[in-house]
Amino acid sequence: MGIVLFFVLQNRKAMKTKKKPLYQRKAFIIILILFVGFVGIQFVRPDVPNLPVTGDLEAPADVKAIIQRACYDCHSNNANLRWYDKIVPVYWGVASHIKDGRADLNFSEWNKLAPADQKGKLWESINQIIAGAMPLPSYTAVHTEAKVSPADLAVLKNYLASMVHSKPADTAAINAADKQYLHWEKNETAITKLSTAANGISYIPDYKNWQPISTTERFDNNTLRVIFGNDIAVKAIKENKIHPWPNGAIFAKVAWAQLQDKDGTTHTGEFKQVEYMIKDDKKYASTYGWGWARFKTPKMVPYGGANVLFTKECMNCHKPMAAEDFVFTLPIKH
Amino acid sequence: MKTVYSLIIACTLMLAACSDNKQVELYNTKAALPASAKYNLGGLKVITSFVNKTKGTASTLYGNDLALKAAIEGNKIIAGNEIFTLVTWKQQDDDHWFGAKIPSDVESVEVIKTASSGNNVAINYQQLNGKPLDLKTDTSGQAERIKYILGQKPSVLP
């Protein structure tokens, strides 16, 4: 656009002054060089292969149509590139989005996820849509048909809500919780050597002595959660200094399986995990200013194993909360 | 020149459209307990947390160190100086996560304090209701509430 405009303006000027012929003028030569360069870079093309579909997402037709329209260009093995997507340098951005998109979530390789993870991904996806983070606004600005309308969102919400089944706990869940409780009660789960995640963050046993700042019932994945804050976090809450949170603030979010009684009272069952967010805007500058870690089961097995890239998963999910310093929890201030 | 001006105006409008003017909600103000001398959560630890899906309530049971220790031992023996506090909130949908419910207006705060004198242990129970934390004067049903609260199994916090 800019090039064309420049060319037109130069041309008009030339008509008025009547100087050298067109091909001898500096401006013309510069434009020619730019044009040749533009054509040249068209041949620098990263590959966007349309890979085989190993097992596509299965969902009711209306739900699937929305997901295909809004998500499949970047989150499936069938990228439907328009002609304007294929022009370099736009194409470079498109190719990198597709590569990252497929790595985070790929509906064409849906069968590679465990059923619980499939459910988790769907809930995460709808929350990204609700938050306006997905589909990427820069993408829908051009591909307007990918926008998710309020009516589309209602269809997706209904579908997910229909997957929630609230029922009393079965014997297996009760037994598993009882077994774990007995070990814990007798102090047999005490950890002598602190386990450490790939990013160097260690399990912090003291979290249970911190103040709870909120609780959550998660009906999307049948867990109950308590979010604890350390002294620095609790002080910041009291003093209204949580935007941004001060360095040294730490949250510990604990999740248990739900154990529902016949009367609807739902207690904490098996301990699932504890997750930490440690604020340090310098030390953790590359991960939104927070250190992230998750330790699973009472054995405190670090999530992600030796792969430090697990933090990308944490960041992707928390990204829509950028305006809230990447924190989902609304603390309760007493 | 007109074209250039229109372009500049168009670009400015586009950039303005991108700026984020969203109001940021930082606290769950609804669920906050009013300051009151009738209860004190300071220094108390979490014993357990539970919800009632039929009633749409969320509760957290707090206790001092003695209460937590007694609860882990199944509250078989009631000793003195134990403090249990059960806070129950109504629930609300979590605006930040479709699929989650968080506490809303406080429904009740129930406080149990034990005191020993000689061989006897006295159990004092108080129920504070609603946002004004009105003391419930009707004492019927207290024994049942005490039994219920002391019967709560602690959450596994390894």
Side-chain angles (χ1 to χ4, degrees), chain A residues 127 178 181 184-185 203 207-208 217 219-220 237 240 256 258 263-268 328 330-331 333-334, chain B residues 25-28 32-33 50-54 72 91 96-99 101 103 152-158:
Chain A
N127 275 292
D178 284 349
Y181 184 82
W184 174 72
E185 188 191 28
Y203 153 68
Y207 75 89
K208 46 189 157 301
E217 177 204 337
F219 57 85
D220 56 344
I237 292 168
N240 278 328
W256 298 270
Q258 291 184 9
D263 74 347
T265 307
T266 303
H267 299 273
T268 56
F328 278 101
L330 293 168
K333 181 168 74 168
H334 300 310
Chain B
E25 190 81 52
L26 290 175
Y27 289 92
N28 181 353
L33 297 182
F50 54 91
V51 299
N52 188 308
K53 293 185 181 180
T54 321
I72 292 173
Q91 288 181 302
H96 288 170
W97 193 265
F98 173 65
K101 285 180 182 172
Q152 292 300 318
K153 204 169 168 180
S155 295
V156 174
L157 286 164

Side-chain angles (χ1 to χ4, degrees), chain A residues 96-212:
Chain A
S96 115
H97 278 167
I98 292 174
K99 193 169 158 260
D100 293 347
R102 284 177 183 174
D104 290 336
L105 168 69
N106 192 334
F107 288 111
S108 298
E109 298 177 10
W110 198 238
N111 60 334
K112 290 185 179 170
L113 293 175
D117 293 334
Q118 292 178 346
K119 249 177 84 176
K121 278 287 181 195
L122 286 180
W123 285 93
E124 189 192 330
S125 301
I126 195 166
N127 275 292
Q128 295 266 344
I129 295 172
I130 293 168
M134 284 287 160
L136 290 176
S138 59
Y139 168 76
T140 48
V142 183
H143 304 81
T144 47
E145 74 285 354
K147 278 185 185 155
V148 178
S149 71
D152 293 338
L153 197 56
V155 172
L156 297 178
K157 277 183 165 180
N158 280 339
Y159 172 59
L160 285 182
S162 75
M163 289 163 65
V164 176
H165 301 292
S166 159
K167 54 179 191 298
D170 57 19
T171 331
I174 295 168
N175 288 345
D178 284 349
K179 198 178 154 201
Q180 201 194 52
Y181 184 82
L182 285 174
H183 275 280
W184 174 72
E185 188 191 28
K186 290 180 192 145
N187 220 5
E188 282 164 7
T189 55
I191 297 204
T192 42
K193 193 177 163 289
L194 296 186
S195 51
T196 302
N199 57 353
I201 292 175
S202 292
Y203 153 68
I204 307 166
D206 196 38
Y207 75 89
K208 46 189 157 301
N209 297 319
W210 298 349
Q211 293 279 307

